[in-house]
Amino acid sequence: MGYPGTFAQTRGDHPAVVMARSGEVVTYRELDERSNRLAHLLRAAGLGRGDHLALFCENNARFMEVVWAGLRSGIYVTAINSHLTAPEVAYIVRDCEATALVSSQALAEVAAGLTGEHDVADVRVRLMIDGAIDGWERYEDAIAEYPATPIDDESHGTPMLYSSGTTGRPKGIRRPMIEGHPSEMDPRSVAFATIYGYDADMVYLSPAPMYHAAPLAFSTIVHRYGGTVLIMERFDPAEALELIERYRVTHSQWVPTMFVRMLKLDESERARHDLSSLRYAIHAAAPCPVPVKQQMIEWWGPILYEYYAGTEGNGATQINSEEWLRKPGSVGRVRAGAIHIVDGEGNELPPGEVGSIYFSGGGSFEYHNDPEKTAGAHLNDWSTLGDVGYLDDEGYLFLSDRRADLIICGGVNIYPREIEDVLVTHPKVADVAVFGIPDDDLGEVVQAVVQPIAGVDGDDALGAELRAWLDERLAKFKRPRAIDFEAELPRLPTGKLYKRLLRDRYRGETKPATIV
């Protein structure tokens, strides 16, 4: 166990990063030397422990070396969603108080927009991978001027990532810096070996954007064990299966929408790949519909491991396949500390009763530059991610929904996730969003927006088919008042549904929604 500097000495030629489509390999020696060079550059530019580096890049071969430069320099690393616009990027760069920014030629058009009213004037270092535009320095040339050896004052850095902004402006989630040398393992990293069998021979498939908390955390911990991170430039369900076979992938990380897309491949495509090397298929980020997970376990075997946690790092649960088959729908029991289910008055609820989920005894965090939001996420020494659920009498947690997404129709609580889980299992549905829209009589009514699978029309016939499907599976008061169709829903590459865009659009409409 250690960090890239450790394995540069013991297995320097071993692949640390492999890019799935290009096949480009970054060895541990290269990862160590390049991250060292950038660390020296950052020190020369005046960045010390506690300062901020922003990274605005797509999944590429330089991504992890930039991250490691910060993690071995005591610097906060803010990886930014590569799909954002210049004003959105500028907001995050300013808010996190970054003084160094790394982007790429692939995102040059957006990077070029960081001028004028969107200027990030406090950024002293602007580096661009694979090329350069006016005002930016070519990354490869800039770091080449610095030594490939470690800086003298190496120390642990940490990510400071931003929420997706699905309910407003994104907020930076700031966690305390870890003390000590970056080669020293923190307790969370050590736990991965026990829970997920991390070792030097592992090949970890990361199919999601690297700016997201889970892929970034899991990948850096792979590098603490000397394994290989196989990064997909973008997710494709058939390609993911082919990569597992070709690279003999042992570990992988998914979100439920990826499971749905793989399950809806042709049976011949699903069956033709040898997936026998895969030992751990880890998933989180969004609730997984019970039928979807059942099908995945039937297909891949009892290798699915689910956890519930957030970028805030305030607590986590974990459940393996055997436990889940006994407790379908659960996200597991708490790994450390305790879970508390709380009502609107702050009173702790008994098993079986639904309320807000709080953790105690986990890590601390704050929302950067937002003391009001920080206070709103805390109840004394407990903290919440904003989700609603319940504990059973054995301490297994079941999620109901996001508190912000709860629909109150005629005084009755309706959880959109339950409806979405039923609709997405229909064979002609690729994706679905359910939310509440205002109603003069009932306060809110249930609206569904469905993305049909390729080749299926969103028409009255499909609407009638979906209504019949719902009639057999849901109580009448939970069924959508209306079902509309979209060619593609605004789902983030991380798997999170950007539901606010749909909700705001519907709440701004003056004409009635189409009822099918």
Side-chain angles (χ1 to χ4, degrees):
M1 297 185 291
Y3 77 139
T6 306
F7 301 110
Q9 302 300 317
T10 61
R11 48 175 19 203
D13 294 330
H14 190 77
V17 173
V18 178
M19 298 304 300
R21 292 192 179 175
S22 70
E24 182 176 353
V25 174
V26 179
T27 66
Y28 270 99
R29 183 176 297 107
E30 291 167 333
L31 177 61
D32 179 55
E33 292 179 352
R34 291 171 184 168
S35 60
N36 280 330
R37 293 181 190 278
L38 179 55
H40 278 285
L41 184 155
L42 296 174
R43 282 290 189 268
L47 276 78
R49 184 169 174 80
D51 286 332
H52 292 253
L53 161 68
L55 172 59
F56 176 56
C57 283
E58 76 288 1
N59 284 7
N60 65 44
R62 307 281 80 80
F63 197 102
M64 290 305 298
E65 66 195 53
V66 175
V67 170
W68 271 111
L71 296 184
R72 67 194 305 168
S73 305
I75 288 174
Y76 281 104
V77 179
T78 296
I80 300 174
N81 185 329
S82 60
H83 299 272
L84 297 186
T85 63
E88 293 169 320
V89 173
Y91 162 76
I92 292 176
V93 172
R94 292 169 181 163
D95 190 72
C96 78
E97 303 166 43
T99 50
L101 173 61
V102 179
S103 188
S104 69
Q105 183 65 41
L107 302 177
E109 184 176 351
V110 176
L114 300 177
T115 58
E117 66 175 304
H118 307 309
D119 193 17
V120 287
D122 290 338
V123 173
R124 302 193 293 269
V125 176
R126 301 189 190 202
L127 305 178
M128 184 164 285
I129 295 165
D130 294 331
I133 56 176
D134 288 345
W136 294 71
E137 190 173 1
R138 184 179 172 87
Y139 170 86
E140 293 82 357
D141 295 341
I143 69 170
E145 300 177 11
Y146 291 89
T149 53
I151 57 175
D152 293 334
D153 59 339
E154 283 195 311
S155 65
H156 271 291
T158 192
M160 190 181 96
L161 304 183
Y162 275 66
S163 63
S164 60
T166 54
T167 57
R169 279 281 206 186
K171 293 298 177 186
I173 299 164
R174 182 168 178 148
R175 297 162 60 184
M177 281 276 190
I178 300 170
E179 297 298 327
H181 191 270
S183 63
E184 298 171 1
M185 301 289 276
D186 62 276
R188 185 182 64 169
S189 299
V190 173
F192 272 60
T194 303
I195 299 170
Y196 301 123
Y198 272 37
D199 59 37
D201 296 322
M202 67 184 294
V203 178
Y204 169 77
L205 176 63
S206 186
M210 296 300 292
Y211 60 74
H212 189 50
L216 186 57
F218 275 70
S219 296
T220 55
I221 296 173
V222 172
H223 288 157
R224 290 195 172 278
Y225 285 89
T228 299
V229 178
L230 174 61
I231 300 176
M232 295 185 72
E233 285 83 349
R234 61 188 59 83
F235 175 70
D236 176 84
E239 182 186 10
L241 298 178
E242 190 273 329
L243 290 169
I244 293 171
E245 179 177 29
R246 183 177 6 143
Y247 287 95
R248 307 308 294 156
V249 169
T250 59
H251 295 66
S252 55
Q253 165 102 21
W254 311 89
V255 296
T257 54
M258 295 175 179
F259 288 160
V260 171
R261 290 180 62 186
M262 288 189 290
L263 286 167
K264 292 188 177 180
L265 291 170
D266 288 341
E267 181 61 35
S268 59
E269 179 67 34
R270 289 173 50 192
R272 74 184 184 89
H273 297 287
D274 177 6
L275 310 180
S276 60
S277 63
L278 194 58
R279 305 198 311 264
Y280 293 85
I282 305 157
H283 70 100
C288 187
V290 169
V292 169
K293 188 161 179 176
Q294 287 173 330
Q295 291 177 68
M296 288 302 301
I297 293 174
E298 291 171 3
W299 179 15
W300 286 5
I303 64 169
L304 270 67
Y305 291 77
E306 184 172 3
Y307 67 92
Y308 166 67
T311 308
E312 288 81 351
N314 59 333
T317 68
Q318 194 268 334
I319 189 168
N320 61 32
S321 292
E322 289 82 0
E323 289 176 293
W324 187 89
L325 289 169
R326 187 168 63 87
K327 300 277 187 177
S330 174
V331 293
R333 289 191 284 193
V334 70
R335 292 205 309 247
I339 296 176
H340 311 272
I341 308 298
V342 175
D343 66 16
E345 305 300 319
N347 302 308
E348 195 161 1
L349 297 170
E353 293 198 26
V354 174
S356 297
I357 303 166
Y358 281 80
F359 286 101
S360 66
S364 62
F365 71 93
E366 63 180 44
Y367 293 109
H368 189 57
N369 292 332
D370 197 335
E372 183 178 348
K373 183 172 182 179
T374 300
H378 288 80
L379 179 64
N380 300 318
D381 294 331
W382 304 349
S383 59
T384 182
L385 301 174
D387 293 314
V388 176
Y390 67 92
L391 291 169
D392 72 5
D393 56 8
E394 294 184 63
Y396 284 88
L397 179 64
F398 292 78
L399 302 179
S400 298
D401 222 313
R402 294 285 297 172
R403 185 165 55 206
D405 291 337
L406 179 69
I407 301 169
I408 304 177
C409 179
V412 177
N413 290 348
I414 298 174
Y415 298 101
R417 179 200 161 193
E418 181 182 7
I419 305 164
E420 291 167 348
D421 285 357
V422 172
L423 280 169
V424 80
T425 57
H426 189 281
K428 295 181 181 178
V429 173
D431 205 357
V432 61
V434 173
F435 48 90
I437 56 175
D439 181 81
D440 291 339
D441 181 33
L442 297 172
E444 286 185 303
V445 292
V446 180
Q447 170 71 48
V449 181
V450 168
Q451 175 184 326
I453 63 170
V456 172
D457 293 329
D459 54 18
D460 290 349
L462 179 58
E465 193 173 332
L466 294 180
R467 287 229 166 266
W469 181 265
L470 291 168
D471 289 348
E472 296 176 3
R473 293 165 174 82
L474 285 179
K476 186 174 182 179
F477 74 92
K478 300 177 185 178
R479 299 173 201 160
R481 173 76 63 88
I483 302 175
D484 290 349
F485 299 99
E486 294 273 354
E488 185 170 3
L489 296 187
R491 189 174 287 277
L492 301 175
T494 57
K496 185 175 289 186
L497 185 64
Y498 212 174
K499 197 177 287 188
R500 182 172 62 86
L501 291 179
L502 291 168
R503 186 188 294 118
D504 289 352
R505 185 202 313 167
Y506 274 81
R507 289 180 176 179
E509 284 184 346
T510 55
K511 66 181 188 302
T514 304
I515 298 178
V516 296

